Amino acid sequence: NETCALAEGRTDSISLSTRVEYPKSGIRRQAREKICEGIARLCYGTGGNDIETAARQWADSCIAEYRKEGNELMMYLSDNGDSEPVAALSWERSLNGYIAGEHGDIISYIVSTYDFSGGAHGSSAELAFNFNRKSGEIIDEDDIFTEGSAVELSKLLSARLQSAFDEEAYNSLFVKDIEPNGNFIVSDEGMTYIYGQYEIGPYYLGIIKLTLPWEELEGLLK
């Protein structure tokens, strides 16, 4: 957690926070190292499994971007006779990564972000990734579902979507016949698909999560 001013003597600043979980035991070493490397890359955009170093590089990159864009805006405002702090000059970024579920040999991981760079409101996102516990490799829908299962999955998700909202909220959705989007986690309860802000509905509905119990998925799994 840290706050960095745009320039000396100004109250404009960027507020940064990050907290990332990663395994240190309980998994075979080679797989664990590969998972940690994957977490560093997915969270911070850098290779290697030194997550603390990756976090520092991410923070420095955010600060550099903020100061570049903020100083350009500040110069523009100054040229137009306005030197007072404005909302667009105060940013906030947070990034959190955590293990979100496990089932069989699958470990699910979510990278949750919040970004405010001025404007009416910030934006939030949750991206899910799934690791094979034995190999450390990232797996996707094709590794879990049988070929041609997407049509039936869409039917199940669309039915779950309708039951998740009242009539008013359901009618406000952009898309009602939804498809699997590859953004999912697993747990003992089932598979949970995650749909981002504006992906299938308006901003006020936020991030939408739909869980399909394992019994509903029988016949679709490899």
Side-chain angles (χ1 to χ4, degrees), residues 33 36-41 46-51 54:
E33 289 178 353
C36 288
E37 183 176 353
I39 289 172
R41 184 175 65 255
T46 185
N49 56 20
D50 186 342
I51 293 179

Side-chain angles (χ1 to χ4, degrees), residues 9-124:
R10 292 190 64 91
T11 59
D12 316 291
S13 63
I14 182 171
S15 176
L16 295 169
S17 66
T18 184
R19 181 179 186 275
V20 167
E21 294 179 348
Y22 55 94
K24 298 187 73 174
S25 63
I27 301 174
R28 190 169 58 89
R29 182 182 60 82
Q30 287 184 325
R32 186 173 71 248
E33 289 178 353
K34 187 166 288 188
I35 289 173
C36 288
E37 183 176 353
I39 289 172
R41 184 175 65 255
L42 297 169
C43 289
Y44 300 122
T46 185
N49 56 20
D50 186 342
I51 293 179
E52 291 186 8
T53 298
R56 182 67 262 165
Q57 291 173 348
W58 168 81
D60 290 343
S61 175
C62 290
I63 292 169
E65 178 189 357
Y66 167 66
R67 284 183 165 162
K68 178 179 182 298
E69 295 192 18
N71 279 307
E72 289 175 356
L73 178 56
M74 190 167 63
M75 289 177 61
Y76 170 81
L77 294 172
S78 179
D79 289 344
N80 287 273
D82 187 355
S83 60
E84 295 300 314
V86 295
L89 287 174
S90 289
W91 290 15
E92 180 182 351
R93 282 189 181 170
S94 66
L95 187 156
N96 298 296
Y98 59 92
I99 295 173
E102 298 183 49
H103 185 75
D105 290 329
I106 303 174
I107 299 174
S108 292
Y109 197 88
I110 283 181
V111 180
S112 174
T113 59
Y114 175 78
D115 185 0
F116 177 78
S117 305
H121 52 69
S123 60
S124 300

Side-chain angles (χ1 to χ4, degrees), residues 40-221:
R41 184 175 65 255
L42 297 169
C43 289
Y44 300 122
T46 185
N49 56 20
D50 186 342
I51 293 179
E52 291 186 8
T53 298
R56 182 67 262 165
Q57 291 173 348
W58 168 81
D60 290 343
S61 175
C62 290
I63 292 169
E65 178 189 357
Y66 167 66
R67 284 183 165 162
K68 178 179 182 298
E69 295 192 18
N71 279 307
E72 289 175 356
L73 178 56
M74 190 167 63
M75 289 177 61
Y76 170 81
L77 294 172
S78 179
D79 289 344
N80 287 273
D82 187 355
S83 60
E84 295 300 314
V86 295
L89 287 174
S90 289
W91 290 15
E92 180 182 351
R93 282 189 181 170
S94 66
L95 187 156
N96 298 296
Y98 59 92
I99 295 173
E102 298 183 49
H103 185 75
D105 290 329
I106 303 174
I107 299 174
S108 292
Y109 197 88
I110 283 181
V111 180
S112 174
T113 59
Y114 175 78
D115 185 0
F116 177 78
S117 305
H121 52 69
S123 60
S124 300
E126 289 189 12
L127 296 178
F129 303 91
N130 295 276
F131 295 96
N132 183 302
R133 173 188 290 273
K134 293 180 178 178
S135 67
E137 298 286 349
I138 291 179
I139 60 177
D140 57 25
E141 288 171 327
D142 291 339
D143 298 308
I144 296 175
F145 292 107
T146 57
E147 187 176 353
S149 61
V151 173
E152 187 60 32
L153 265 178
S154 294
K155 292 178 182 177
L156 292 172
L157 286 166
S158 299
R160 185 67 59 176
L161 179 66
Q162 184 170 12
S163 65
F165 295 104
D166 59 32
E167 184 178 0
E168 182 179 355
Y170 182 73
N171 288 334
S172 74
L173 293 168
F174 307 147
V175 182
K176 296 181 176 67
D177 294 323
I178 57 175
E179 299 179 352
N181 63 355
N183 197 27
F184 67 90
I185 62 172
V186 301
S187 67
D188 289 340
E189 287 70 39
M191 292 186 66
T192 299
Y193 275 86
I194 303 170
Y195 295 87
Q197 291 176 331
Y198 296 116
E199 186 174 355
I200 61 173
Y203 177 84
Y204 83 89
L205 290 181
I207 295 171
I208 298 170
K209 299 181 181 182
L210 305 170
T211 300
L212 300 177
W214 292 115
E215 54 266 26
E216 291 187 14
L217 297 173
E218 289 184 8
L220 302 179
L221 304 172

